[in-house]
Amino acid sequence: MLFFDTRLLPFNERVSMLFALICILGGATALIMRLRPGDEDDELPPDDGAVV
């Protein structure tokens, strides 16, 4: 929302745009950091294939 309407925050337009960019990058970083690592030592549950 901050990218489309920078008047939502009581800051200068440039500061609001910078804050919005930092929030988006921080959210993307948080999502990437929460990805599970795919180690070879992980035990996978047995896969029976498609069961109908």
Side-chain angles (χ1 to χ4, degrees):
M1 287 297 296
L2 292 176
F3 273 127
F4 298 116
D5 190 10
T6 56
R7 294 173 292 154
L8 292 174
L9 293 177
F11 302 122
N12 184 354
E13 184 175 315
R14 294 186 71 170
V15 173
S16 294
M17 188 65 72
L18 179 64
F19 182 70
L21 180 64
I22 289 171
C23 286
I24 289 174
L25 290 177
T29 301
L31 288 174
I32 291 171
M33 295 297 290
R34 292 184 49 92
L35 288 175
R36 289 184 19 192
D39 294 341
E40 293 179 10
D41 298 336
D42 290 344
E43 292 183 22
L44 297 174
D47 187 16
D48 294 333
V51 178
V52 179

